[in-house]
């Protein structure tokens, strides 16, 4: 592993710093918040199981990180991570971590997640095996394979499904061994925020993505429409706690509304920002998702 990216302006990176770049911590709320919410729903129903909740959280974060690692490998191979990109440094493209090293670590991580997930299969049965296999397949197919999802404009739909419906529903299922409409309603909130994180990332990269044929949804519909979709999904996320309350859960779930001023601020910043300025909006969207999710989840426990 090299200590400095070619063309980078920063000082030499330690191995820890290099891997933190590859992990992309600002994207991790997309993996953690749905599991926290699913566990809170299970607790509200008197069906919380701590071992299953912890394993689900570790597996979700592992799949999130594996997706980021695999994304680095295939974007590097397809030439998507060029010196002109406006986002954070990509370690494989910059020569900080070798492609071979990233492949080995990704295989090890996916194998570890699969083995750990077998505990959930043992406790909750074959539906969890199916969910786990599909999640790992999505982690690879997002940028890998002959028809990469991220290059087709369908990435946002898959993110909503896997980081919303599947993550929250699966977390609830491994504890309660069944599923309900309110749980899937609640899942729409982290799903919407996860899509917003992806939208900001891809709005920033519209020009460079179009150049290399990476036709994400923003690259197809344009920045203005993608920003409007961000606003719509934010509205959906804040409507969800109200619907869950109507379905019979605690009114304290509406504590999530206290994060609304921050969300409105992010919308304003999204419309005022271009290029590298959008990196701050991406991080801010992750913060909104985290605060909303914690307030929503905590409120459900009252």
């Amino acid at each position: 592993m090299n200590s400095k990216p070619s063309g980078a302006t920063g000082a030499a990176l330690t191995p820890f710093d290099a891997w933190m770049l590859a992990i992309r911590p600002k994207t991790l709320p997309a993996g953690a918040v749905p599991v926290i919410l699913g566990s809170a729903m299970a607790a509200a129903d008197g069906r919380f199981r701590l071992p299953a909740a912890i394993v689900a959280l570790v597996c979700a974060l592992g799949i999130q990180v594996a997706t980021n690692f695999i994304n680095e490998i295939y974007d590097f191979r397809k030439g998507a991570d060029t010196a002109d990109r406006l986002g954070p440094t990509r370690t494989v493209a910059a020569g900080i971590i070798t492609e071979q090293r990233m492949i080995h670590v990704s295989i090890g991580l996916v194998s570890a997640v699969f083995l750990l997930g077998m505990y959930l299969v043992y406790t909750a049965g074959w539906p969890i095996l199916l969910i786990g296999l599909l999640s790992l397949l999505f982690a690879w197919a997002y940028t890998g394979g002959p028809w990469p999802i991220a290059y087709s404009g369908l990435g946002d739909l898959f993110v909503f499904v896997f980081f919303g419906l599947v993550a929250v529903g699966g977390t609830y299922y491994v504890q309660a061994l069944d599923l309900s409409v309110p749980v899937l309603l609640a899942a729409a909130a982290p799903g919407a925020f996860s899509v917003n994180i992806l939208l900001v990332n891809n709005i920033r990269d519209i020009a460079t993505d179009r150049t290399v044929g990476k036709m994400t949804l923003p690259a197809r519909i344009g920045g203005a429409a993608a920003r409007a979709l961000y606003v719509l999904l934010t509205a959906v996320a804040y409507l969800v706690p109200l619907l869950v309350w109507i379905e019979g859960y605690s009114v304290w779930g509406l504590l999530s509304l206290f994060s609304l001023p921050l969300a409105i601020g992010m919308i304003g910043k999204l419309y005022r920002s271009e290029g590298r300025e959008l990196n701050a909006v991406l991080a801010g969207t992750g913060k909104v998702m985290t605060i909303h999710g914690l307030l929503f989840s905590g409120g459900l426990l009252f």
Side-chain angles (χ1 to χ4, degrees):
M1 179 168 61
N2 298 328
S3 60
K4 183 188 292 187
S6 56
T9 58
L13 295 174
T14 66
F16 175 81
D17 291 335
W19 283 105
M20 288 304 291
L21 265 178
I23 288 170
R24 309 181 200 176
K26 293 175 183 177
T27 68
L28 295 186
V33 170
V35 177
I36 294 170
L37 179 57
S39 296
M41 295 286 287
D45 290 341
R47 307 170 88 172
F48 177 72
R49 294 178 62 242
L50 181 60
I54 292 175
V55 173
L57 178 60
V58 173
C59 287
L61 290 174
I63 291 172
Q64 172 71 46
V65 173
T67 302
N68 291 342
F69 286 176
I70 296 168
N71 177 253
E72 287 226 13
I73 295 166
Y74 282 98
D75 274 354
F76 168 67
R77 290 179 178 178
K78 299 174 189 296
D81 289 337
T82 67
D84 296 328
R85 76 181 307 275
L86 302 174
T89 301
R90 291 292 175 249
T91 58
V92 175
I96 303 171
I97 299 173
T98 66
E99 180 186 2
Q100 202 64 29
R101 178 66 171 162
M102 187 65 82
I103 291 172
H104 290 157
V105 172
S106 298
I107 292 172
L109 178 57
V110 167
S111 300
V113 168
F114 179 80
L115 291 174
L116 185 60
M118 292 307 293
Y119 167 77
L120 299 177
V121 175
Y122 173 76
T123 59
W126 68 265
I128 299 305
L129 178 61
L130 179 61
I131 287 173
L133 291 175
L134 287 175
S135 297
L136 292 174
L137 177 63
F138 167 73
W140 168 74
Y142 185 71
T143 49
W147 301 287
I149 296 168
Y151 287 66
S152 68
L154 295 174
D156 307 79
L157 174 62
F158 277 81
V159 163
F160 181 83
V161 170
F162 280 93
F163 288 95
L165 306 182
V166 170
V168 176
T171 298
Y172 184 91
Y173 186 87
V174 298
Q175 298 174 66
L177 301 183
D178 64 16
L179 209 50
S180 64
V181 170
V183 173
L184 296 179
L185 277 175
F193 280 123
S194 296
V195 174
N196 275 353
I197 291 173
L198 181 61
L199 281 173
V200 177
N201 183 82
N202 291 338
I203 291 169
R204 180 198 63 209
D205 295 337
I206 285 176
T208 53
D209 283 346
R210 284 174 173 170
T211 299
V212 298
K214 186 176 182 179
M215 297 305 293
T216 63
L217 183 61
R220 291 176 182 275
I221 66 177
R227 284 175 166 86
L229 180 58
Y230 180 104
V231 176
L232 175 62
L233 289 171
T234 300
V236 168
Y238 281 92
L239 179 63
V240 163
L242 177 61
L243 297 177
V244 171
W245 171 45
I246 292 172
E247 287 289 333
Y249 284 79
S250 172
V251 67
W252 290 103
L254 297 179
L255 282 172
S256 55
L257 291 174
F258 281 105
S259 65
L260 183 57
L262 181 58
I264 293 173
M266 279 303 110
I267 290 173
K269 197 166 187 178
L270 174 66
Y271 275 86
R272 295 191 304 270
S273 301
E274 293 289 348
R276 287 189 174 87
E277 296 172 342
L278 288 167
N279 291 330
V281 182
L282 191 153
T285 303
K287 291 178 182 177
V288 173
M289 178 180 184
T290 301
I291 296 170
H292 178 282
L294 292 177
L295 290 173
F296 187 16
S297 300
L300 291 173
L301 301 179
F302 284 101

